[in-house]
Amino acid sequence: MQEYFDKAIELAEDGVKNLEGGPFGAVVVKDNKIIGYGNNKVLLEKDPTAHAEIIAIRDACKRINTHDLTGCVIYSTSEPCPMCLSAIIWANIKKVYFVTDRKEVAQIGFRDDYIYNYLEKKEKDIIEIKQIENKKCQELLKSYNNKLY
């Protein structure tokens, strides 16, 4: 386990040194082998979704040519934000190990806790979300019927 955290920390350090993004790194492991590497690249990519866990998941999926990371574990230098946690769930990763938590990253200016509070209904004014009726969109959804899987 330590070797995976060592690699995640190394990735985070490289990302900070190269001004790629925040101090975050992650690796995806399958069968005791690292198959995905990621560090925060939000600044480099000018992409607010380019978090370490997302980058590591994308890398792992490309390397093993699948969208399903069942049987994998992710090791991250920090507690996954809600977006990353969602990606981890979508990827079918069932184990996550992390070091620093959302309270610690809040102390250096990151808003993970803000989003968690919204999801827990503690914050209400972050975003407006409204469902709109659209028959064509609903028909498309019904016609899809899981055709890709």
Side-chain angles (χ1 to χ4, degrees), residues 52-148:
E53 297 90 343
I54 302 283
I55 300 294
I57 288 168
R58 290 174 182 165
D59 186 44
C61 288
K62 285 179 186 173
R63 287 175 188 264
I64 64 172
N65 195 32
T66 186
H67 66 281
D68 186 346
L69 297 177
T70 297
C72 293
V73 178
I74 193 160
Y75 295 83
S76 179
T77 58
S78 188
E79 179 179 9
C81 74
M83 175 186 67
C84 292
L85 185 58
S86 296
I88 289 164
I89 292 168
W90 275 114
N92 290 318
I93 297 172
K94 303 294 186 201
K95 289 185 182 177
V96 178
Y97 296 104
F98 66 90
V99 181
T100 60
D101 67 19
R102 63 181 100 157
K103 304 278 187 218
E104 291 172 286
V105 300
Q107 292 174 0
I108 61 167
F110 289 87
R111 300 176 295 175
D112 302 32
D113 213 22
Y114 187 63
I115 300 167
Y116 274 109
N117 286 340
Y118 173 78
L119 294 172
E120 294 167 2
K121 309 274 191 237
K122 295 176 187 172
E123 298 278 346
K124 294 180 176 67
D125 298 332
I126 294 174
I127 187 171
E128 180 181 327
I129 299 176
K130 183 176 181 181
Q131 185 175 11
I132 304 296
E133 187 175 327
N134 184 302
K135 298 266 187 232
K136 188 173 182 180
C137 183
Q138 291 164 325
E139 289 169 9
L140 175 63
L141 183 68
K142 287 178 185 174
S143 72
Y144 174 76
N145 198 21
N146 212 12
K147 292 179 181 173
L148 293 179

Side-chain angles (χ1 to χ4, degrees), residues 14-78:
D14 287 347
V16 169
K17 181 176 68 182
N18 295 323
L19 304 175
E20 295 176 350
F24 309 108
V27 296
V28 175
V29 175
K30 184 169 185 155
D31 299 325
N32 299 314
K33 181 180 180 213
I34 298 176
I35 62 165
Y37 301 83
N39 64 285
N40 186 293
K41 295 182 183 296
V42 168
L43 299 177
L44 177 70
E45 300 291 332
K46 296 173 183 44
D47 177 357
T49 69
H51 291 197
E53 297 90 343
I54 302 283
I55 300 294
I57 288 168
R58 290 174 182 165
D59 186 44
C61 288
K62 285 179 186 173
R63 287 175 188 264
I64 64 172
N65 195 32
T66 186
H67 66 281
D68 186 346
L69 297 177
T70 297
C72 293
V73 178
I74 193 160
Y75 295 83
S76 179
T77 58
S78 188

